Amino acid sequence: MCFAPDVCDIVPVAKMASRFVNYLSPQQEAELADIARRLVAPGKGILAADESISTCGKRLQEINVENSEDNRRRYRELLFSCEDAMAEHVSGVILFDETARQYDSFGTPFVKCLERKGIIPGIKVDKGVVPLAGTHGESTTTGLDGLKERCDEYKSMGIHFAKWRCVLKISKFTPSYLAMLENANVLARYASICQQSGLVPIVEPEVLPDGDHDLETARRITEEVLAFQYKALADHHVFLEGTLLKPNMVTAGQSYQGRYNSPEDNAMATVQALYRTVPAAVAGVVFLSGGQGEESATINLNAINKVPLRRPWPLTFSFGRALQASVLQAWQGKDENRKHAHDELLKRVKANGLAAQGKYQGGLEGMAAGKSLFVKDHAY
């Protein structure tokens, strides 16, 4: 029944339905949902090995290894050649463009090395953080130009998911409305483009841990950022079942001097922020470590999976520094240390695989377990 005959006379009902655009076919949606589900399978998470050339160089510098293309390749090969047991707890690996095009010592592309282990290759597709004009030192992320062509190429290479990071910072004046709106829309546009190319987008609106704010402020700001994000994803018609969210865990600022917050406090604030803002349709949540120490990130993840609140999504890890710090300490750039480095990696992925199920009880600390991994204004 039409309650506005004048409107119906102008726009036939059949044509009005065309405003709801299904830009993905049922087959495309099914593929995206399947990839997303496999990435957050029980007890599994993602290894983020997507550091840029300069950031990887900083990691190598810590162990006095030159930042050359071959040394970066050797280090990536170290990670990807870990015994097949790694795949028990690692579902996917995020690569940098350089790494996605490199080969191991036997001439096998790294993408194929991962596939053979049953690990899904992913890719970082943003071009980095840049200043956002008209704000108080805030930023946005570039890389939308040519993104569709890059995504199509990556899909043809055997890559099946992507990552894009935006950052927001808590201070007296930030994050601003403009920064939250701009970054949410950039991430939504990226997600839509990825899905059209068959890549599952990981949406990463990271609220940085920099600052002296308390836990309550971190929770409130994280909720606001996520509310902007899911409004933007809806506006861009993004298929949520074929997406993952990569948020910060909610913690007080690194310079906070107030009351100690336990892992249980952090976990409660984190899950509260999520269930107040993230639709149940989202395939899963893969936390970044945000500069926490290896063991701290694992303990917080474990506490998150034990919070007595509704958790309709798998809550697991997508760690970079918190999986690699002990590996680098063990390796030291020497081939004779490969086995020791692999043992450290296996310990970390097992610990976090257990934490993703709320089953971690300690005892798997790595060489860098107590080391702070915080980097002010962290950029890739």
Side-chain angles (χ1 to χ4, degrees), residues 207-280:
V207 179
L208 292 172
D210 308 55
D212 59 2
H213 52 274
D214 61 15
L215 184 65
E216 174 64 17
T217 299
R219 180 193 58 75
R220 180 176 57 80
I221 295 297
T222 299
E223 285 181 21
E224 194 170 5
V225 167
L226 291 176
F228 271 81
Q229 188 59 69
Y230 281 96
K231 171 63 165 60
L233 290 168
D235 289 343
H236 287 77
H237 311 295
V238 172
F239 175 58
L240 294 182
E241 291 89 335
T243 66
L244 299 177
L245 173 67
K246 183 171 180 176
N248 50 284
M249 297 182 190
V250 177
T251 61
Q254 285 284 338
S255 302
Y256 175 65
Q257 298 295 318
R259 183 184 71 84
Y260 167 74
N261 296 304
S262 68
E264 290 72 25
D265 294 332
N266 296 331
M268 179 62 73
T270 299
V271 177
Q272 283 178 334
L274 293 176
Y275 82 64
R276 291 172 179 172
T277 55
V278 180

Side-chain angles (χ1 to χ4, degrees), residues 8 59 68 70 75 77 87 120 123 125 131 220 232 247-248 282 288 297 303 306 309 317 351 370 373:
C8 290
R59 305 280 184 268
S68 65
D70 188 58
Y75 176 58
E77 182 173 3
I120 303 172
I123 188 76
V125 295
R220 180 176 57 80
N248 50 284
V282 173
L288 55 91
K306 298 178 76 172
L309 294 175
F317 61 93
L373 303 177

Side-chain angles (χ1 to χ4, degrees), residues 48 51 85 94 110-111 177 184 192 231 274 298 312 315 320 337:
E51 296 90 352
I94 308 173
F110 282 147
V111 170
Y177 176 90
S192 177
K231 171 63 165 60
L274 293 176
T298 304
L315 303 173
N337 292 338

